[in-house]
Amino acid sequence: MSISEKIRSGFFRLYKSIAGNFSEWHIKIKPFVSWIRLFAAIVLILCIFLCFLTPLMENHTPGYFTHNTPSDSMLFSGKKPAENYLKNLKMETDKLDQGLRRLIPSRSYLVVNTSENKIYLFSGGKMIHEGICSTGSYTLLKAGADQQWIFKTPKGMFTIQGKTVSPVWRKPDWAFIEEGLPVPPANSHLRFEAGVLGDYALSLGDGYLIHGTLFQRFLGLPVTHGCIRLGDDDLKKVYQTLHIGSRVYIF
Amino acid sequence: MSDNFTENDKRRSFRVVRLFTIIVVTVFIGWYMIFHFLSARNYAIQINMITDSLFIEKIGKRFAPPSSENFWNTLTEKEKNRAFLNARHEMAQSDSVRMTIHLPDSTLWLEIKGLVVHTVLIRDVKLTASLRQIPPLAKAWWLSSPFKTIEHSSTIPHEPIVIKHAPADTIEAQNSPVLPPEPEDKLVYFTYKTDRNLTLHFNQWEDGNRKGYFCRKMKRELKSFGATLGYMLQFRYKPFEHRIEITLDKKDARTIYRALPEFPKIAVKISD
């Protein structure tokens, strides 16, 4: 018995043993076996197409991309020496490099990673401190049909616009709404709350602050209304290192 | 009628259908391969034309012959550096978060205004062969400005927003000692399709080669197959798509996706 016959008889026996267990079902599908085989073959071909042929054709269509070194007649007939082009290229590269270097702040700056809720404080081009923080919770607060607020920390480059010691929180409307309290007038004394922002606050503009917190156990988690909360020691370090105009990079 | 349909007729009709199917499948495969061949050839002609015009535009016809054999290598290396810096410089014009893929170092950077604020290690990278086949100088010029994302898809939401109705049960409002939930534990895969025929696929390293990866790959191939069929039926060349598949640690992949805007600009440096 040849190998192919052995394989065939093996398959036949396997088929029989399976079919034997489902003899009734087997009798029912017997007239359609050829069609099932044809269908299976088409599905198999499709699978081969999707798994192998399409990626293969797309990735490895060979040999059509010639290295396009220009011919002498096209480019090299003039008087201008090649070294001049390279020199210009070097000048342009140096200019771009210097331009990018100039963008790196010479003063201290802070980097905030909102995904991991971490801060990195840099001074003189070196990282001098690393710590945890809390950033925006991505909560969408809905109040009625027409009022809503989203609590997320903005991303990008910001500058420190103001520094305060012992800041007092001027509560916005949402602070009352989310607690189910009536919203007081704009200058009401009910809006001002001392001691909840920690010892220092650094303003980033548009109401966003870097400040301290009473809820130290939530540091490292995204729980704020958009501000950046720090632990007491980290806040002191950041406050002492950053100046008005220092950059804060948030991503 | 059906009573007169003998077993022999049935067998014959099946044979006819089988033969017809084989012919159709063979013609389809042949057409598919020829179509790919022609599309690739068309793309190569386009690339060569663009390269020629770029040479003329950038170097000019009045250009003295190179003095040494290393000239082209030096030129290519310098053009690559210039291209990379130029792309980063262009991206630095805006205040938002941008991505730089530095394949020679296997690193991926997040940049804000030209400052690298975050660097992650690329665990694995796969490039389509077409990317390696573009002439190095043409490739340097092609990469000399940032890619703009025109389409993106992801398995995780860009912003994990939780809706709460006022008076909300926010942590402070409730004064609850319960900690908020940890970030969701989903498979992280995302794709950026850019304006210049480059598509970037990002996979997570952990469990990345298993079920999720395979399903995603099959979906992608099915989509590509469907697009090819669409072009074939219209008798149009399929635009060639370069692909870079990058594998990152799951945590890094999520950080990168969430940090970037929905349609980010991306600079790429590729080693030859």
Side-chain angles (χ1 to χ4, degrees):
Chain A
M1 197 187 269
S2 70
I3 295 171
S4 66
E5 279 170 339
K6 273 182 191 170
I7 292 169
R8 207 178 294 169
S9 71
F11 269 116
F12 185 71
R13 256 181 279 148
L14 182 72
Y15 173 74
K16 272 284 196 191
S17 66
I18 295 166
N21 293 332
F22 303 96
S23 56
E24 222 173 280
W25 174 77
H26 179 242
I27 289 161
K28 273 183 195 167
I29 67 152
K30 202 176 177 184
F32 308 107
V33 165
S34 310
W35 293 101
I36 290 167
R37 275 190 202 146
L38 187 64
F39 179 72
I42 292 169
V43 170
L44 188 71
I45 287 168
L46 250 175
C47 285
I48 291 168
F49 239 92
L50 289 178
C51 290
F52 304 108
L53 205 55
T54 304
L56 196 76
M57 290 296 286
E58 284 181 357
N59 293 345
H60 302 290
T61 309
Y64 305 112
F65 302 92
T66 52
H67 276 248
N68 202 332
T69 308
S71 62
D72 284 3
S73 61
M74 192 169 85
L75 295 174
F76 305 137
S77 56
K79 294 164 190 168
K80 204 175 169 188
E83 283 70 22
N84 262 7
Y85 183 78
L86 286 182
K87 207 185 279 178
N88 287 341
L89 196 61
K90 192 180 177 306
M91 274 168 62
E92 207 182 326
T93 309
D94 289 346
K95 204 175 148 190
L96 284 167
D97 195 30
Q98 280 167 14
L100 279 169
R101 277 177 202 279
R102 266 199 299 272
L103 290 168
I104 298 169
S106 51
R107 301 168 74 181
S108 316
Y109 62 93
L110 183 73
V111 174
V112 182
N113 180 342
T114 61
S115 293
E116 292 174 25
N117 287 287
K118 281 184 177 170
I119 56 152
Y120 305 92
L121 187 62
F122 289 81
S123 187
K126 284 180 183 171
M127 190 172 75
I128 56 164
H129 186 72
E130 188 182 339
I132 54 167
C133 65
S134 282
T135 56
S137 62
Y138 284 102
T139 299
L140 179 70
L141 180 70
K142 286 189 172 182
D146 55 345
Q147 276 187 308
Q148 63 176 41
W149 294 268
I150 184 153
F151 301 135
K152 62 180 182 183
T153 305
K155 287 166 186 156
M157 191 187 82
F158 300 86
T159 50
I160 300 290
Q161 296 185 3
K163 291 172 73 174
T164 321
V165 181
S166 302
V168 174
W169 186 32
R170 187 190 172 280
K171 290 168 88 173
D173 290 356
W174 51 254
F176 297 94
I177 290 168
E178 75 175 352
E179 289 183 57
L181 300 169
V183 180
N187 292 320
S188 166
H189 70 280
L190 294 170
R191 284 198 179 257
F192 298 94
E193 204 171 340
V196 291
L197 298 181
D199 296 335
Y200 310 98
L202 298 96
S203 167
L204 300 173
D206 290 331
Y208 293 102
L209 299 172
I210 299 171
H211 61 76
T213 179
L214 297 174
F215 303 95
Q216 302 272 333
R217 66 186 184 278
F218 293 140
L219 286 170
L221 295 166
V223 293
T224 78
H225 295 95
C227 289
I228 298 160
R229 289 184 198 165
L230 304 179
D232 294 341
D233 295 341
D234 290 344
L235 183 64
K236 192 174 180 185
K237 186 105 184 162
V238 167
Y239 183 84
Q240 285 170 346
T241 311
L242 298 186
H243 307 281
I244 291 176
S246 294
R247 291 181 189 167
V248 178
Y249 298 89
I250 307 173
F251 69 93
Chain B
M1 278 290 278
S2 59
D3 292 343
N4 300 332
F5 209 60
T6 62
E7 194 63 31
N8 233 359
D9 288 338
K10 272 185 189 172
R11 232 176 260 157
R12 200 178 300 150
S13 74
F14 175 74
R15 266 186 218 138
V16 169
V17 171
R18 192 170 60 184
L19 187 69
F20 180 75
T21 312
I22 288 167
I23 290 168
V24 167
V25 168
T26 313
V27 166
F28 177 77
I29 292 173
W31 187 23
Y32 191 86
M33 291 175 94
I34 289 168
F35 179 77
H36 262 287
F37 177 87
L38 291 175
S39 287
R41 192 171 170 275
N42 178 56
Y43 176 73
I45 290 166
Q46 276 180 20
I47 279 282
N48 285 345
M49 277 167 62
I50 291 166
T51 311
D52 283 347
S53 63
L54 278 171
F55 264 115
I56 292 164
E57 184 197 317
K58 294 223 177 208
I59 297 178
K61 286 189 176 179
R62 291 184 174 281
F63 193 73
S67 49
S68 72
E69 280 179 10
N70 288 329
F71 176 77
W72 286 112
N73 291 340
T74 314
L75 179 65
T76 307
E77 212 44 53
K78 284 188 187 298
E79 281 286 7
K80 268 163 62 183
N81 282 341
R82 190 199 63 84
F84 184 59
L85 288 171
N86 193 61
R88 286 185 61 207
H89 200 265
E90 273 186 40
M91 290 201 305
Q93 303 308 311
S94 137
D95 280 353
S96 72
V97 189
R98 306 294 192 212
M99 178 164 61
T100 301
I101 299 166
H102 196 285
L103 293 183
D105 281 0
S106 290
T107 53
L108 194 150
W109 314 339
L110 285 180
E111 287 188 61
I112 303 175
K113 212 64 184 154
L115 180 78
V116 179
V117 291
H118 193 59
T119 306
V120 300
L121 187 75
I122 296 173
R123 290 285 197 166
D124 188 30
V125 65
K126 283 177 193 148
L127 283 83
T128 43
S130 59
L131 269 173
R132 298 194 191 281
Q133 288 169 340
I134 300 175
L137 262 180
K139 191 154 59 186
W141 292 330
W142 180 60
L143 298 171
S144 69
S145 56
F147 290 89
K148 290 173 195 150
T149 308
I150 51 167
E151 233 180 275
H152 69 103
S153 64
S154 169
T155 54
I156 57 164
H158 190 254
E159 293 181 339
I161 288 170
V162 181
I163 298 174
K164 287 185 177 173
H165 295 272
D169 53 346
T170 52
I171 292 141
E172 283 133 333
Q174 215 181 26
N175 271 336
S176 157
V178 179
L179 285 172
E182 283 292 307
E184 79 275 31
D185 191 32
K186 265 188 179 177
L187 292 171
V188 184
Y189 299 111
F190 56 97
T191 299
Y192 291 123
K193 192 171 179 181
T194 69
D195 57 342
R196 297 204 304 276
N197 290 11
L198 176 71
T199 304
L200 298 156
H201 297 278
F202 293 86
N203 303 317
Q204 67 173 52
W205 176 250
E206 296 88 345
D207 301 323
N209 296 321
R210 292 182 194 163
K211 200 179 149 195
Y213 177 75
F214 181 74
C215 291
R216 194 175 153 80
K217 200 171 166 65
M218 278 303 279
K219 244 188 228 173
R220 198 170 71 204
E221 295 306 340
L222 197 65
K223 203 176 163 189
S224 167
F225 180 65
T228 308
L229 280 186
Y231 280 103
M232 280 168 75
L233 291 172
Q234 292 172 43
F235 293 99
R236 281 167 57 203
Y237 289 126
K238 188 189 172 195
F240 214 88
E241 186 193 67
H242 305 286
R243 277 197 292 227
I244 302 178
E245 208 170 309
I246 291 168
T247 306
L248 306 169
D249 282 338
K250 184 178 178 175
K251 190 184 77 176
D252 292 336
R254 185 162 47 207
T255 301
I256 298 290
Y257 181 67
R258 295 257 163 92
L260 289 168
E262 280 190 276
F263 296 92
K265 283 187 178 175
I266 301 160
V268 183
K269 188 171 188 180
I270 300 173
S271 46
D272 285 327

